[in-house]
Amino acid sequence: MCYLIFARCLLFLVKFGDTGDSGLQIRHNGTTFLILIPNVHYLQRRSFINMCMTSTVKPELENKVEVSYDGKRIDVAYIGTHSSLQTENLKLYGYNIKENSRVSSWWIEPFIITSRYPIFLSVFVIDYDDQTSMASFQALPMESWGRSYVIVTLNHHSSLHIMTIRAQEAWVELKCSTSCSTPHNGSVQLFSMRAVTISFCTERFTGNLTGTKITAQNPIGVIAGNCWSGIENCSSVAAIKDMTLEMFLPTVSFGKEFITFKVYSIRTRYELENLIVSVTDNTRVAIISRRSFVRVTIPKAGDTHSFFLQGQDGPQMITSNHPIQVMQIFRPYCLNSAARNLNSYGGVALSLLLPTNMYFNFYTWSQPIPVWSATMVIIKQIGFKVEVLDENQTTIDSTTWKAGKEPWQVGEFKIRKQYQASSESLFGCYVFGIDIRITYMHMAGYSL
């Protein structure tokens, strides 16, 4: 059996050659996107998909955006001169993810979004009844897909979706933290403009898929997360359960310097875990704050290390000798079982943390639900100014800037409807919505 596995791996390498993406340009704006969420009926019944779309061309150029499903156009939006920020929200209600009858039921149809001119696309899965957030992610345009990915999920009910432009073979090195079984481990056949799903949403799988690697000969898109993810290590107490989703960036985007932070202006009591994933043996990591310096060695590729920001911990820098992937995991504290109102606490959220070399100089974003409030986090270098404007082109002032490892500092901005942030220098931008049963966070954009 070991010889057979080795032979299949060798055949894959000979067939696919180098699966790296050197020279790939990764940007968060594009003209073609594929998106989906787990094919679970109870999620479909209680939720809808909200797409926040922002046109990146001049206001006088009307941008037409079409949404197709199963070969048919199901919706269209026009982003024109009515908004100074060129932003539009499109909601997909009452959808049903259709299984492809010609192939295995593991295959599902993604939504295809195309635009005349490039757009930014943020995707929210929203509860249909009370319009609260279940999950969100920044969509990666098809033009920026890569050929190699490593994913992270939390414990319980994990799912993984692989989408492709053209029919091809992919290779999945499934890594389960507890015993699991799926026919899609090893060589996997992909069909054009469709997705293959590895899902434990309806099974009693309590582990995670962190460290699973997916490679292919041609570009692929990867979305992974958890259909439900509760607060871990909460025995005999109550906790909100929530969905998590992330559209992952290819391994070429992994970096050697990151800035991690807490959001101080929100009311929910929580802890923030930083999960570091190595892709190279003997990866040495340094975690640096203004008051501390911690060194960690991750011995094997695919292994992880995590640390927490709690209380009034300030921003911290993460550096490494080899490229790594870093995830931020937001977890509310465990609640006493006597707590009467669990709805006053947010759920779990998961987001990629960007390396500093992927920061951009312009971001724009729109609230999917007007009554929500959100916090925008800016990470910039000392001495450079970031201008933040709302939907009326009025300047939004920041709270006090918190200093991290020089030259970086972190500031927070409260936003209600729309915003744009720009600077002559590159800076990082994240959006957090953490309030009464509203929990989402994701990077607002990136560029490599």
Side-chain angles (χ1 to χ4, degrees):
M1 178 61 71
C2 292
Y3 291 109
L4 177 60
I5 294 174
F6 174 78
R8 293 184 67 183
C9 292
L10 184 61
L11 176 62
F12 179 84
L13 291 174
V14 171
K15 194 174 177 183
F16 285 10
D18 177 17
T19 56
D21 290 300
S22 58
L24 175 66
Q25 294 186 358
I26 300 178
R27 293 185 180 274
H28 60 295
N29 62 325
T31 58
T32 307
F33 300 81
L34 268 64
I35 64 168
L36 52 77
I37 68 169
N39 184 15
V40 180
H41 293 299
Y42 60 80
L43 289 178
Q44 295 179 30
R45 287 197 304 268
R46 63 171 291 180
S47 63
F48 66 90
I49 296 175
N50 188 100
M51 298 185 298
C52 293
M53 304 171 295
T54 303
S55 182
T56 61
V57 295
K58 296 179 180 180
E60 58 266 23
L61 295 176
E62 187 176 63
N63 201 347
K64 180 181 180 181
V65 182
E66 295 184 338
V67 182
S68 300
Y69 181 71
D70 194 24
K72 300 176 182 178
R73 190 179 76 176
I74 60 174
D75 214 333
V76 63
Y78 295 90
I79 309 176
T81 58
H82 62 281
S83 171
S84 59
L85 291 184
Q86 291 289 87
T87 300
E88 187 70 43
N89 283 294
L90 193 62
K91 297 177 174 62
L92 302 178
Y93 288 92
Y95 66 91
N96 284 300
I97 298 177
K98 178 182 178 182
E99 297 176 355
N100 186 351
S101 60
R102 291 173 294 178
V103 293
S104 165
S105 61
W106 294 92
W107 294 91
I108 61 176
E109 299 269 356
F111 294 98
I112 302 173
I113 298 95
T114 57
S115 62
R116 184 178 299 160
Y117 304 110
I119 60 172
F120 303 143
L121 178 61
S122 299
V123 178
F124 294 81
V125 183
I126 299 174
D127 189 285
Y128 188 90
D129 291 329
D130 54 17
Q131 304 228 322
T132 54
S133 172
M134 298 173 67
S136 72
F137 59 88
Q138 186 76 21
L140 180 66
M142 190 181 292
E143 298 93 320
S144 294
W145 286 4
R147 296 180 291 160
S148 175
Y149 295 81
V150 175
I151 68 157
V152 170
T153 72
L154 306 181
N155 289 336
H156 306 288
H157 308 295
S158 299
S159 65
L160 163 64
H161 313 275
I162 308 168
M163 303 172 290
T164 184
I165 303 170
R166 63 183 68 178
Q168 61 173 313
E169 181 186 3
W171 188 268
V172 177
E173 298 176 32
L174 193 64
K175 186 174 182 179
C176 299
S177 62
T178 60
S179 178
C180 69
S181 177
T182 174
H184 295 307
N185 187 18
S187 178
V188 176
Q189 185 62 44
L190 304 178
F191 293 89
S192 176
M193 306 300 278
R194 289 183 173 85
V196 64
T197 295
I198 299 174
S199 175
F200 298 95
C201 290
T202 58
E203 300 181 23
R204 293 183 178 180
F205 176 64
T206 59
N208 62 68
L209 305 181
T210 295
T212 294
K213 186 175 181 180
I214 307 102
T215 53
Q217 183 179 16
N218 298 302
I220 54 175
V222 175
I223 297 175
N226 302 78
C227 295
W228 295 113
S229 182
I231 313 303
E232 299 170 15
N233 303 320
C234 286
S235 58
S236 302
V237 294
I240 289 291
K241 292 184 178 180
D242 200 7
M243 179 193 220
T244 64
L245 284 176
E246 180 61 281
M247 188 161 192
F248 284 81
L249 301 180
T251 54
V252 70
S253 71
F254 291 7
K256 296 182 179 181
E257 181 184 276
F258 302 78
I259 304 297
T260 184
F261 53 89
K262 284 196 69 176
V263 180
Y264 299 94
S265 59
I266 63 174
R267 294 173 294 173
T268 303
R269 298 176 63 244
Y270 73 98
E271 63 183 13
L272 190 75
E273 180 182 1
N274 298 272
L275 180 66
I276 302 170
V277 182
S278 70
V279 290
T280 309
D281 291 344
N282 296 316
T283 296
R284 296 190 299 275
V285 176
I287 303 165
I288 311 166
S289 70
R290 299 188 70 189
R291 300 179 180 178
S292 64
F293 186 99
V294 177
R295 285 193 181 275
V296 176
T297 298
I298 304 177
K300 294 183 180 180
D303 285 354
T304 63
H305 172 77
S306 67
F307 68 97
F308 293 84
L309 296 184
Q310 298 177 337
Q312 294 299 310
D313 288 345
Q316 299 189 13
M317 175 184 286
I318 304 168
T319 63
S320 62
N321 63 327
H322 298 298
I324 56 175
Q325 179 174 250
V326 183
M327 304 294 295
Q328 281 193 327
I329 304 169
F330 168 90
R331 287 190 178 93
Y333 286 149
C334 298
L335 307 180
N336 187 294
S337 58
R340 294 183 178 182
N341 186 14
L342 294 181
N343 292 344
S344 64
Y345 288 75
V348 184
L350 175 75
S351 174
L352 283 164
L353 194 67
L354 285 175
T356 56
N357 67 311
M358 288 192 69
Y359 289 171
F360 201 44
N361 64 352
F362 176 81
Y363 302 87
T364 181
W365 185 80
S366 174
Q367 270 285 31
I369 303 294
V371 297
W372 289 4
S373 63
T375 300
M376 179 179 63
V377 177
I378 296 290
I379 304 172
K380 72 176 186 69
Q381 297 189 49
I382 298 171
F384 288 93
K385 181 181 179 181
V386 175
E387 184 180 41
V388 180
L389 303 176
D390 64 15
E391 64 274 9
N392 299 316
Q393 297 294 288
T394 302
T395 300
I396 304 175
D397 294 326
S398 167
T399 58
T400 303
W401 291 92
K402 289 187 175 291
K405 174 73 168 61
E406 289 188 358
W408 298 102
Q409 58 183 182
V410 178
E412 299 177 21
F413 298 77
K414 284 294 184 181
I415 54 178
R416 287 289 179 182
K417 188 175 180 181
Q418 297 177 345
Y419 82 89
Q420 68 179 29
S422 60
S423 175
E424 295 180 355
S425 174
L426 300 180
F427 64 97
C429 184
Y430 298 82
V431 178
F432 283 67
I434 301 170
D435 206 332
I436 299 176
R437 284 200 65 197
I438 298 172
T439 307
Y440 63 87
M441 64 181 189
H442 61 254
M443 50 201 173
Y446 40 80
S447 178
L448 181 64

